[in-house]
Amino acid sequence: MKRRSQTETAVLGALSVMPMTGYAVRQSIHDVLGHFWSESFGQIYPALTRLEQEGLVEQGADETASYTITATGLDRLHQLLSESIQDAPPRNGLMLRLFFGRHLGTDACRALVEQASVDAANRLAELEAVRAEIAGETGTEADQPFWLLTIAAGEHSARATLAWADEARAHLDAIERT
Amino acid sequence: MKRRSQTETAVLGALSVMPMTGYAVRQSIHDVLGHFWSESFGQIYPALTRLEQEGLVEQGADETASYTITATGLDRLHQLLSESIQDAPPRNGLMLRLFFGRHLGTDACRALVEQASVDAANRLAELEAVRAEIAGETGTEADQPFWLLTIAAGEHSARATLAWADEARAHLDAIERT
DNA sequence: TGTCTCATGTAATCCGTTACATGATTGG
DNA sequence: CCAATCATGTAACGGATTACATGAGACA
């Protein structure tokens, strides 16, 4: 089973919130979904062209060159979202390094754990900022409860990393004492 | 800055534990590191050829066709592990769907959350099994503390997912009642 | 004898990033 | 007026999966 690109899902999703230019699509995915998703211009612009050819989005002929999602586009979005999740194979660089940590040394491992801990703390702060940002938006009230769902997931994940880092620190000390 | 493949790191790492065939390299990465890393044959075999040409691994000319890591190979492994982590851009299919959950409907979202919860519970069980498996191994005592470090990370992550799922269930109920 | 696992490899294909190219508009 | 941001695209490149092809040995 070949795995299909999910770029069009993300683009249609972004346009389902409000009409936007391609640039703004990238912007909003990066800013709001950034902890869970990413798209590059090299994907977004060709995708928009395809979507327009299929009549799923329309480029506002008015002064704003924004794209608007059509009724068919909304149908398609629903359909795409319903498809089974295809997860990318895991590739966790931190875990790869720690797994072979014997060859890296406990000090370097400790540094990696510290870095992960700091990153998680930053992520927590950013998620808090995003939460505040979307709560202040108007016109997206119906979407917000779902957005908060994903933010909560990010927060749980970040806090889990912090807790693990504490454990790992002690663990590494114990390794060194043997 | 172009992003280099980390396949050779994974392969050298696997061979640093014990000599193996390419098939067994894939096997052990899949079985033990499976929650954090993955490699396919299409990557492993060409990588082994390259590594052999560079003198980082040697194919045992004896009856076993296993590859053995050389002293230079160990140096290279250390060096590769020390390089800065390059994280793949995030692509979380579950979060993408929940984020646009308004178009998916609360019932479908609930099903996604349930699935994630079940998956996390399974992951927890598998990690427990891996923990038991490696604890019983001999000849890998020096590596085991580091392996346990990664297993702990997986467990924290899985438990965080379970906790989030509980929260999400309640959250979705609240959405529906409005 | 036939199927399953072990074992090695290659070719097609695609996804996605990065880099490059270009231009309009805004604001200090 | 110059820099930064907004805006749209394309081409090159590389990484990785998937599928295909092949064969040996085990074992039932």
Side-chain angles (χ1 to χ4, degrees):
Chain A
M1 67 199 88
K2 58 180 170 197
R3 114 156 91 261
R4 276 249 321 296
S5 168
Q6 292 177 297
T7 297
E8 309 196 346
T9 314
V11 171
L12 284 176
L15 293 178
S16 80
V17 177
M18 62 175 75
M20 274 184 258
T21 65
Y23 187 86
V25 166
R26 156 74 218 278
Q27 205 76 325
S28 73
I29 289 177
H30 181 88
D31 292 348
V32 189
L33 258 173
H35 288 96
F36 314 109
W37 204 260
S38 91
E39 292 291 345
S40 57
F41 288 128
Q43 293 278 105
I44 288 178
Y45 285 116
L48 280 169
T49 311
R50 281 196 306 275
L51 290 172
E52 193 175 23
Q53 278 164 3
E54 295 174 50
L56 305 177
V57 304
E58 282 171 350
Q59 197 160 19
D62 49 344
E63 77 286 355
T64 92
S66 290
Y67 289 90
T68 308
I69 193 168
T70 65
T72 359
L74 279 174
D75 285 350
R76 181 108 183 93
L77 174 59
H78 183 157
Q79 177 194 330
L80 286 172
L81 290 174
S82 304
E83 286 181 3
S84 73
I85 299 176
Q86 55 254 71
D87 282 317
R91 276 251 162 59
N92 188 325
L94 172 61
M95 292 304 143
L96 184 68
R97 280 159 181 76
L98 290 180
F99 193 86
F100 299 117
R102 180 161 77 93
H103 301 283
L104 192 52
T106 47
D107 283 343
C109 287
R110 225 187 301 269
L112 287 174
V113 170
E114 281 325 307
Q115 189 57 54
S117 183
V118 168
D119 289 348
N122 288 338
R123 229 160 70 230
L124 218 45
E126 280 169 32
L127 286 164
E128 191 53 48
V130 175
R131 187 192 281 275
E133 188 191 339
I134 69 175
E137 271 183 41
T138 59
T140 60
E141 287 77 8
D143 278 312
Q144 290 183 19
F146 296 94
W147 298 354
L148 292 177
L149 220 52
T150 68
I151 290 185
E155 287 172 342
H156 275 277
S157 162
R159 280 195 296 265
T161 300
L162 291 176
W164 165 78
D166 284 343
E167 214 178 289
R169 264 185 280 265
H171 199 128
L172 284 167
D173 289 345
I175 294 176
E176 220 159 34
R177 273 198 307 277
T178 59
Chain B
M1 67 201 86
K2 58 179 167 197
R3 128 155 79 259
R4 275 248 321 295
S5 167
Q6 291 177 299
T7 297
E8 310 197 344
T9 314
V11 171
L12 283 177
L15 293 179
S16 79
V17 178
M18 63 175 74
M20 275 183 255
T21 66
Y23 187 86
V25 166
R26 157 73 219 277
Q27 205 75 327
S28 72
I29 289 177
H30 182 87
D31 292 349
V32 189
L33 258 172
H35 289 94
F36 314 110
W37 204 261
S38 90
E39 293 291 346
S40 58
F41 288 129
Q43 292 279 103
I44 288 178
Y45 285 116
L48 279 169
T49 311
R50 281 196 306 275
L51 291 172
E52 193 175 21
Q53 279 164 1
E54 296 175 49
L56 305 177
V57 304
E58 281 171 351
Q59 198 160 19
D62 49 341
E63 77 287 356
T64 92
S66 292
Y67 289 91
T68 309
I69 192 168
T70 65
T72 1
L74 279 173
D75 285 351
R76 182 109 183 92
L77 174 59
H78 183 154
Q79 177 194 330
L80 286 172
L81 290 173
S82 304
E83 286 179 4
S84 74
I85 300 175
Q86 55 254 70
D87 283 317
R91 275 250 163 59
N92 188 323
L94 172 62
M95 291 303 142
L96 184 68
R97 281 159 180 76
L98 289 180
F99 194 85
F100 300 117
R102 179 161 76 94
H103 302 283
L104 193 51
T106 47
D107 283 343
C109 286
R110 225 186 301 268
L112 287 174
V113 169
E114 282 324 308
Q115 188 57 53
S117 185
V118 169
D119 289 347
N122 289 338
R123 229 159 71 229
L124 218 45
E126 280 168 32
L127 287 165
E128 192 52 50
V130 175
R131 187 193 279 276
E133 187 191 339
I134 69 175
E137 271 183 39
T138 59
T140 60
E141 287 79 8
D143 277 312
Q144 289 183 19
F146 296 94
W147 297 354
L148 293 177
L149 221 51
T150 68
I151 291 184
E155 288 172 342
H156 274 277
S157 161
R159 281 195 296 264
T161 300
L162 290 176
W164 164 78
D166 285 342
E167 215 179 290
R169 266 185 281 265
H171 199 129
L172 283 167
D173 289 345
I175 294 176
E176 221 159 36
R177 274 199 307 276
T178 60

